[in-house]
Amino acid sequence: MAGQIWYLKSCRLFENCTPPQIARLESASRAKSVGKGEPIYLPADDANSVLVLASGRVKICHLTSDGKQSILAFIEPGEIFGELAILNMGNRDEYAEAVEDSRVIAIPDQTLRELMEEHANLCLGVTKIIGLRRRRIERRVKNLLYLPNRERIIHLLLELAEQYGHETDHGIELSIRLSHQDLASLVGSTRETVTVVLGAMQNEGLIKLGRKKVILRAPDQLAHQVSVPPLRMSEQPPSSTPAGFYLRHSLGT
């Protein structure tokens, strides 16, 4: 029980809650362990709880009409997911799967709504998370509809670098390990196309590739190629933002 309280307190969304409020959350919540590759929830499951990732890593996915997996989000420890349950959305419309052995805490939606009614900062924090994720939805839909594969991949690499990058002697290395198939699922492309585009960018000296590893050797040049401002590295440790790295995009390929 004490460990569960610690996980809730370590979630930045709840850091300003009082001890009695944290205790209320803890008493109503339930924790469970999920093995790598196991589902946390499935499409059409009741959306009756908001989840906090205590440890491990989770991906939020959707299956396209032709059966392909589309990755919508990666969730890191201390982040919430399934937050639309707060809005009484009925059933889930995607599925959550553990990328590695994970532990999650499920908070009943009614409990969280009651706490939001009495805690303005918590309400604002949840609203910001939903708003940020909605903005990323719109941006990814625009990219998918209007940009060629190379530009979509560059946008993705820059976004990953802002969230997961750390500076090294060779450039900005992404601490998150993704396969070419993962990258393809994030940008609505194919593994073969991603492999060709990344290979060309490596030959141009823009990136360096390793096994599930990418280093941006020339991030400013990459930003210039897609007409966005130079990369701004976060002052926080990689993947520590409360909204998480949410990559929802159009479900087509």
Side-chain angles (χ1 to χ4, degrees), residues 232-248:
R232 294 178 302 169
M233 298 300 296
S234 172
E235 295 179 357
Q236 304 178 57
S239 72
S240 65
T241 61
F245 176 57
Y246 209 77
L247 292 167
R248 186 184 293 268

Side-chain angles (χ1 to χ4, degrees), residues 57-61 69 71 73-75 95-99 182:
R57 176 177 290 155
V58 168
K59 62 180 178 181
I60 311 298
C61 304
Q69 183 189 80
I71 298 177
F74 282 106
I75 307 297
Y95 69 92
E97 178 184 306
V99 177
D182 291 332

Side-chain angles (χ1 to χ4, degrees), residues 18 102-103 137 148 158 174-175 223 233 249-250:
T18 65
S102 302
R103 187 165 180 80
I137 291 172
L158 293 173
L174 306 184
S175 60
M233 298 300 296
H249 52 74
S250 171

Side-chain angles (χ1 to χ4, degrees), residues 149-168:
N149 281 300
R150 180 183 172 106
E151 292 187 23
R152 298 210 306 267
I153 292 170
I154 291 175
H155 276 286
L156 174 62
L157 292 177
L158 293 173
E159 191 171 330
L160 287 168
E162 283 190 333
Q163 185 69 33
Y164 295 99
H166 62 275
E167 297 188 42
T168 71

Side-chain angles (χ1 to χ4, degrees), residues 22-218:
I22 291 291
R24 280 169 52 195
L25 286 175
E26 187 277 332
S27 64
S29 302
R30 64 186 187 279
K32 67 175 181 177
S33 297
V34 186
K36 178 180 178 180
E38 294 181 1
I40 297 169
Y41 59 74
L42 297 170
D45 282 357
D46 289 338
N48 55 15
S49 62
V50 176
L51 298 109
V52 177
L53 182 60
S55 61
R57 176 177 290 155
V58 168
K59 62 180 178 181
I60 311 298
C61 304
H62 180 88
L63 287 179
T64 64
S65 58
D66 56 357
K68 294 180 181 179
Q69 183 189 80
S70 177
I71 298 177
L72 311 179
F74 282 106
I75 307 297
E76 302 293 331
E79 296 172 9
I80 69 168
F81 59 105
E83 71 283 349
L84 292 183
I86 298 171
L87 305 179
N88 287 318
M89 298 297 289
N91 297 332
R92 310 282 187 189
D93 60 2
E94 74 285 312
Y95 69 92
E97 178 184 306
V99 177
E100 54 191 61
D101 291 346
S102 302
R103 187 165 180 80
V104 299
I105 299 171
I107 304 172
D109 56 338
Q110 182 60 35
T111 300
L112 191 53
R113 278 196 298 271
E114 291 172 356
L115 189 56
M116 288 169 62
E117 290 176 359
E118 62 187 66
H119 197 305
N121 286 339
L122 176 60
C123 186
L124 180 61
V126 172
T127 301
K128 284 183 175 180
I129 289 174
I130 294 175
L132 175 61
R133 292 175 175 176
R134 175 57 55 185
R135 184 173 65 183
R136 287 178 173 167
I137 291 172
E138 296 172 351
R139 183 171 63 202
R140 293 216 156 264
V141 167
K142 290 178 181 178
N143 288 351
L144 188 59
L145 290 175
Y146 301 117
L147 297 183
N149 281 300
R150 180 183 172 106
E151 292 187 23
R152 298 210 306 267
I153 292 170
I154 291 175
H155 276 286
L156 174 62
L157 292 177
L158 293 173
E159 191 171 330
L160 287 168
E162 283 190 333
Q163 185 69 33
Y164 295 99
H166 62 275
E167 297 188 42
T168 71
D169 293 338
H170 304 288
I172 298 175
E173 181 174 344
L174 306 184
S175 60
I176 187 170
R177 298 296 186 245
L178 299 173
S179 67
H180 289 189
Q181 183 58 61
D182 291 332
L183 294 172
S185 296
L186 286 165
V187 297
S189 186
T190 65
R191 180 183 59 80
E192 292 79 9
T193 297
V194 168
T195 298
V196 169
V197 171
L198 292 178
M201 292 166 60
Q202 178 168 243
N203 291 338
E204 296 166 22
L206 298 172
I207 65 174
K208 180 180 171 126
L209 300 173
R211 180 172 176 79
K212 292 191 176 183
K213 180 172 74 173
V214 180
I215 298 175
L216 307 191
R217 300 181 62 185

